[in-house]
């Protein structure tokens, strides 16, 4: 996965308020701050966190935590259920299947589901 984000946004991840991890899962409580540059121009009437940003964050947090290189082979499942708005707290849940080289993610808060997906990773582990 090549980093094509505008300058200044390349490493702009949301603040992590808390985290819990096991060998196969990672749960992050994130604060989606309105000042993040990803909201600029998306959209003027109501700022919305772009889906590609949500996907990027899941890949970056997941690959970093589980020790994978940033190399996505295929997006197997990708679903956006609700809009993620500025100044929102959200839980990002990540899990992986090392044998199948798959990373699964979901953004939620309580009963509210925002986005989810499954990603097949490419190159061999670092």
């Amino acid at each position: 996965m090549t980093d094509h984000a505008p300058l200044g946004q390349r490493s702009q991840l949301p603040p992590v308020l808390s985290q819990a991890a096991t060998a196969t899962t990672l749960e992050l409580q994130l604060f989606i701050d309105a000042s993040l540059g990803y909201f600029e121009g998306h959209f003027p009437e109501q700022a919305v966190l772009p889906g590609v940003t949500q996907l990027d964050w899941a890949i970056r947090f997941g690959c970093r935590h589980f020790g994978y290189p940033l190399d996505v082979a295929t997006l197997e499942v990708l679903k956006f259920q609700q809009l993620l708005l500025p100044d929102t707290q959200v839980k990002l849940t990540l899990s992986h299947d090392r044998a199948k080289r798959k990373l699964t993610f979901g953004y939620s808060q309580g009963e509210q589901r925002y986005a989810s997906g499954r990603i097949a990773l490419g190159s061999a582990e670092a």
Side-chain angles (χ1 to χ4, degrees):
M1 169 176 231
T2 306
D3 195 341
H4 294 293
L7 288 175
Q9 292 185 7
R10 293 178 195 264
S11 62
Q12 194 175 23
L13 293 170
V16 176
L17 303 176
S18 65
Q19 70 178 37
T22 69
T24 58
T25 63
L26 173 65
E27 287 186 356
L28 301 171
Q29 190 68 32
L30 307 174
F31 180 66
I32 313 302
D33 194 297
S35 68
L36 289 171
Y38 298 105
F39 289 111
E40 293 174 22
H42 199 263
F43 294 92
E45 305 82 33
Q46 171 60 65
V48 174
L49 186 66
V52 69
T53 301
Q54 296 173 52
L55 178 60
D56 179 63
W57 290 351
I59 292 167
R60 288 181 184 286
F61 278 122
C63 286
R64 180 186 305 160
H65 180 76
F66 296 117
Y68 295 107
L70 285 175
D71 185 13
V72 174
T74 307
L75 298 176
E76 295 183 338
V77 177
L78 187 58
K79 187 175 187 178
F80 296 99
Q81 293 110 318
Q82 296 291 322
L83 299 176
L84 254 173
L85 304 177
D87 294 330
T88 301
Q89 279 193 34
V90 65
K91 180 172 70 172
L92 171 57
T93 303
L94 297 151
S95 62
H96 79 114
D97 181 329
R98 190 164 300 281
K100 294 182 180 181
R101 298 195 50 76
K102 297 200 181 189
L103 184 66
T104 303
F105 74 92
Y107 288 91
S108 64
Q109 193 61 20
E111 296 299 315
Q112 185 74 31
R113 304 286 176 249
Y114 294 101
S116 59
R118 185 174 62 241
I119 303 148
L121 300 168
S123 64
E125 297 171 34

